[in-house]
Amino acid sequence: MARIARLTYYPVKGCAGTDVPSAEVTPAGLAHDRVFQLVTPEGGVLTQRPHPVLAAVRPRVLGDRLALSAPGRDDVVFPIRLDGPRRPTSTYGWQGDGVRQGEAADAWFSDLLGRPAELIRIAPGHDRVTGGHTPGTAAFADGHALLITSESSLDTLNERIAAGQGDPVPMDRFRPNIVIAGWAEPHREDEARELSAGTAKFGYAQQCVRCTVPMIDQETGAKAGPEPIRALATYRRGPDGGVVFGVQAAVLRPGQVAVGDEVMVHSWAGPSPSTAAAEPPFTATASRPAESV
């Protein structure tokens, strides 16, 4: 039986996640996921890619406050501003604005990064349409509401890394929202087109093309490459040639999910181009009835 093994939301885009035993699923993903974003004074997004130190920042949503901690720095707590002065911004193609969270929060992050930075939150009426196989919406995530991975996919990857004399990597390198356990074969998430858990339902949007973030140690905020990207590049290529791991999904039905919930797949696709050459044939079709996997 497939089940949810881990649930994680990331309050501030690019910063550490918060593991939870249960979560509300909103139309834009897990509650509190990527609702804050760091930007330049001109509105450009700031992420782990050029600033890996963000991985070690631990944000926590405490009701109407946001707590921040980082190695070597004093813990701070700021009130969350749901509305107020806006900052025009963009997130990988989406154009909109966010609510500025105040000078104290800006100063804390500017000092951390060594450059001017502003913390913003999604604004009331936030309207962002995401595409892919299943359209949806999202807060400040790169492209879609949810990132889904599976333990079997990571196990296979780590076997390949070990074969190349490398050290295994933890799942947090991929920053997923939902980790699924119980699938015997790796990368089954690539083939699930509609799936549900708890009272929520999700639809496949696209494979997740990985950038350099998986080569950053998510505990320390230090670069730690070349794995897992080197090993993935040998067997996990998407149609455009990018290295892929996990899938992005849209929310078809908001609800509640919890660790341990059974995952039901309601429709399947055939093998994706990136797995067909490396994995045994998988012949399920989109008309396959719902089943527990």
Side-chain angles (χ1 to χ4, degrees):
M1 180 181 76
R3 58 180 178 80
I4 293 178
R6 185 173 179 178
L7 291 167
T8 310
Y9 68 85
Y10 305 81
V12 180
K13 182 179 179 68
C15 295
T18 300
D19 290 343
V20 290
S22 61
E24 176 189 0
V25 180
T26 76
L30 300 190
H32 309 305
D33 188 59
R34 279 108 170 172
V35 296
F36 295 93
Q37 175 169 277
L38 287 164
V39 298
T40 67
E42 297 73 37
V45 61
L46 298 170
T47 70
Q48 271 191 44
R49 294 172 179 88
H51 302 289
V53 68
L54 288 175
V57 176
R58 315 234 164 251
R60 291 175 295 144
V61 176
L62 306 174
D64 60 356
R65 299 176 301 159
L66 178 69
L68 299 169
S69 62
R73 297 181 178 272
D74 292 336
D75 293 356
V76 291
V77 180
F78 304 112
I80 295 173
R81 296 182 178 180
L82 300 180
D83 205 354
R86 307 293 179 89
R87 170 65 67 202
T89 188
S90 62
T91 306
Y92 300 101
W94 173 80
Q95 302 285 331
D97 58 25
V99 177
R100 296 190 62 185
Q101 296 301 294
E103 293 181 359
D106 296 349
W108 193 88
F109 275 109
S110 296
D111 183 61
L112 174 78
L113 297 179
R115 60 166 299 165
E118 297 178 1
L119 182 66
I120 61 174
R121 188 185 185 278
I122 57 171
H126 178 83
D127 184 19
R128 181 184 178 193
V129 177
T130 59
H133 188 274
T134 304
T137 187
F140 288 137
D142 277 7
H144 300 275
L146 294 163
L147 178 59
I148 301 173
T149 62
S150 69
E151 290 183 345
S152 58
S153 299
L154 182 66
D155 291 343
T156 294
L157 169 60
N158 278 331
E159 288 171 2
R160 288 176 177 258
I161 292 175
Q165 307 304 310
D167 294 326
V169 299
M171 186 66 86
D172 65 7
R173 291 286 190 94
F174 298 100
R175 300 173 62 79
N177 297 114
I178 298 175
V179 179
I180 298 174
W183 280 333
E185 300 87 1
H187 310 299
R188 291 293 293 273
E189 59 270 29
D190 288 23
E191 327 306 343
R193 290 298 175 259
E194 289 189 6
L195 62 161
S196 63
T199 59
K201 190 173 185 179
F202 317 110
Y204 169 95
Q206 64 181 27
Q207 291 179 305
C208 185
V209 178
R210 311 312 308 209
C211 60
T212 58
V213 167
M215 294 189 292
I216 298 171
D217 186 317
Q218 296 296 301
E219 290 293 324
T220 65
K223 293 183 178 179
E227 298 297 1
I229 297 301
R230 180 173 63 181
L232 282 171
T234 66
Y235 76 112
R236 291 286 295 165
R237 293 282 188 179
D240 63 354
V243 173
V244 295
F245 185 91
V247 298
Q248 295 169 318
V251 176
L252 295 175
R253 183 177 67 228
Q256 297 284 331
V257 292
V259 172
D261 280 348
E262 183 178 2
V263 175
M264 299 284 292
V265 176
H266 301 276
S267 65
W268 295 92
S272 63
S274 68
T275 59
E279 306 297 338
F282 180 55
T283 58
T285 67
S287 62
R288 182 175 182 171
E291 65 167 316
S292 174
V293 295

